[in-house]
Amino acid sequence: MKKSDFYYDLPEELIAQTPLERRDASRLMHLDRQTGAIEHRHFYELPQLLRSGDCLIMNDSRVLPARLLGCRSTGGGVELVLLRDLGEGKWECLSRPGKKTRPGTELSFGDGELKATVVDVIEGGNRIVQFHYDGIFLEVLERLGKMPLPPYIKEELANAERYQTVYSRELGSAAAPTAGLHFTNELLDELRAKGIRTGFVTLHVGLGTFRPVKEEEIEDHDMHSEFCMVPQETADLINETKKNGGRVVAVGTTSCRTLESFAREDGHMEAASGWTNIFIYPGYRFKCIDALVTNFHLPESTLIMLVSALAGREHVLNAYKTAVEEKYRFFSFGDAMLID
């Protein structure tokens, strides 16, 4: 299949720049993946669309405040985005300005509370940076770091917690699992009261999730790797749900990719952890999930390819065309879709 098969035209003004005041007030498009039928709802109506006996599987990863603004010892500003922990205070980072952060460059953040040395430049232009600090690095990062918002969001975030899900707990992502941003604790209580059980997986989202597909033949795309985990209690919940005739509803493409990475061919789930580079596009046979809660994704992205694998490319592109006509809000702080 070709990358251009997944293109749609999106007016820039529909890209949500800020979250809604109330998380679950976002719109929710309900898409029947068999017929392509569309229904317009709100996210707080999700309990009406799920059934007692279903289970929701959510990604509990928490976003690192991984964007650091500081200065170079030679003068001038510097921006780092932490990508990968290499251990012993070393991180792989994006850096700006790249040409002025050569190996040996000394950096300072927060009036010297955090210092760093650029150690190496690796393939692709990323830097290996050695940090120097007192205390616990993640605590220093919580004080000095900012949220690494996606490149299509131009406004600063007034409240950093709005780029975290209410159930986030495992620190490690460079971007939020955004389908979960719509949930409130009250909505989760309402879902559980209806007999819809909840379970958690962890996938630490990398900035590779925003990397465009460059190859015209999508099968040639080299998918990025991310670390993920399925705990035993979640595996047990999934197996019990399926045994009792309930549906496994993944919240977000990250939860979906985690479950599909580790499920057996018959859908049985075991506790597991490891790196996944699973690339799901039309023709893929889903082993575990029955339904998906997701946001609206970028044209020609691996994420719109994943939802097209679940609901069919024609149904998905028609749904996106409808969303544009109805002026839905798009991307990370935008509206949501339930595909079942």
Side-chain angles (χ1 to χ4, degrees):
M1 301 189 78
K2 297 191 179 299
K3 176 179 71 171
S4 54
D5 291 336
F6 300 90
Y7 178 80
Y8 69 94
D9 190 37
L10 178 67
E12 189 174 348
E13 63 266 20
L14 295 184
I15 300 173
Q17 293 296 314
T18 55
L20 295 178
E21 184 175 345
R22 180 179 151 192
R23 287 177 183 260
D24 62 359
S26 53
R27 297 169 76 181
L28 177 66
M29 178 182 285
H30 183 202
L31 174 63
D32 186 316
R33 65 189 178 109
Q34 301 300 329
T35 67
I38 292 170
E39 185 181 13
H40 301 291
R41 307 289 287 262
H42 284 89
F43 203 85
Y44 54 76
E45 298 177 278
L46 184 63
Q48 301 171 27
L49 301 173
L50 302 181
R51 309 169 195 153
S52 178
D54 289 346
C55 71
L56 279 168
I57 305 298
M58 298 172 278
N59 182 6
D60 64 4
S61 184
R62 186 168 174 81
V63 185
L64 283 164
R67 183 170 164 244
L68 288 166
L69 302 176
C71 59
R72 308 187 306 275
S73 57
T74 52
V78 67
E79 176 182 346
L80 294 182
V81 177
L82 279 59
L83 299 179
R84 189 160 58 102
D85 185 358
L86 302 176
E88 299 181 345
K90 283 186 182 177
W91 283 76
E92 178 184 347
C93 303
L94 292 173
S95 74
R96 298 186 188 92
K99 291 182 179 179
K100 295 186 177 180
T101 48
R102 299 183 180 90
T105 304
E106 300 290 335
L107 311 174
S108 177
F109 306 92
D111 294 325
E113 181 180 354
L114 178 64
K115 295 185 177 181
T117 306
V118 179
V119 175
D120 198 4
V121 180
I122 61 174
E123 186 178 354
N126 292 349
R127 269 53 177 172
I128 304 300
V129 176
Q130 175 72 61
F131 287 98
H132 315 285
Y133 53 91
D134 293 324
I136 298 171
F137 182 71
L138 291 181
E139 291 181 357
V140 175
L141 196 61
E142 288 278 5
R143 287 195 295 275
L144 303 182
K146 295 178 177 292
M147 283 296 161
L149 294 175
Y152 47 76
I153 293 179
K154 311 302 181 187
E155 297 189 21
E156 287 289 332
L157 189 59
N159 176 6
E161 278 302 306
R162 290 307 307 273
Y163 196 55
Q164 306 278 14
T165 63
V166 297
Y167 47 76
S168 64
R169 55 189 177 189
E170 299 293 339
L171 201 60
S173 278
T178 54
L181 295 178
H182 306 279
F183 287 89
T184 64
N185 287 315
E186 294 76 14
L187 183 61
L188 289 169
D189 288 343
E190 185 180 344
L191 286 159
R192 291 167 182 142
K194 188 180 174 180
I196 298 154
R197 298 172 69 185
T198 55
F200 298 94
V201 296
T202 303
L203 182 143
H204 291 316
V205 186
L207 288 182
T209 193
F210 302 116
R211 197 177 76 196
V213 176
K214 294 182 179 177
E215 295 78 8
E216 183 55 29
E217 299 293 335
I218 67 171
E219 294 86 353
D220 296 334
H221 176 66
D222 184 22
M223 192 70 173
H224 61 286
S225 293
E226 292 163 313
F227 186 79
C228 53
M229 297 179 283
V230 178
Q232 186 64 56
E233 61 185 324
T234 301
D236 292 343
L237 171 60
I238 289 168
N239 296 333
E240 186 179 338
T241 298
K242 286 188 170 292
K243 180 182 175 182
N244 294 333
R247 299 178 301 170
V248 175
V249 183
V251 175
T253 57
T254 59
S255 299
C256 171
R257 293 178 66 240
T258 301
L259 297 179
E260 293 297 319
S261 294
F262 295 131
R264 293 198 317 217
E265 287 300 317
D266 63 358
H268 184 82
M269 184 66 65
E270 299 282 354
S273 65
W275 292 84
T276 182
N277 64 348
I278 189 171
F279 181 18
I280 297 175
Y281 54 86
Y284 178 84
R285 187 183 69 83
F286 286 85
K287 298 173 289 187
C288 180
I289 77 159
D290 302 296
L292 177 68
V293 175
T294 187
N295 278 18
F296 290 89
H297 305 294
L298 277 73
E300 301 183 335
S301 64
T302 61
L303 305 181
I304 195 172
M305 293 170 191
L306 184 153
V307 297
S308 295
L310 183 64
R313 187 181 69 90
E314 294 79 8
H315 289 339
V316 167
L317 290 180
N318 180 61
Y320 273 58
K321 179 175 178 287
T322 301
V324 170
E325 291 169 351
E326 296 292 327
K327 293 187 166 32
Y328 273 65
R329 289 158 47 91
F330 278 70
F331 305 162
S332 295
F333 290 137
D335 295 316
M337 177 188 288
L338 169 65
I339 302 172
D340 67 2

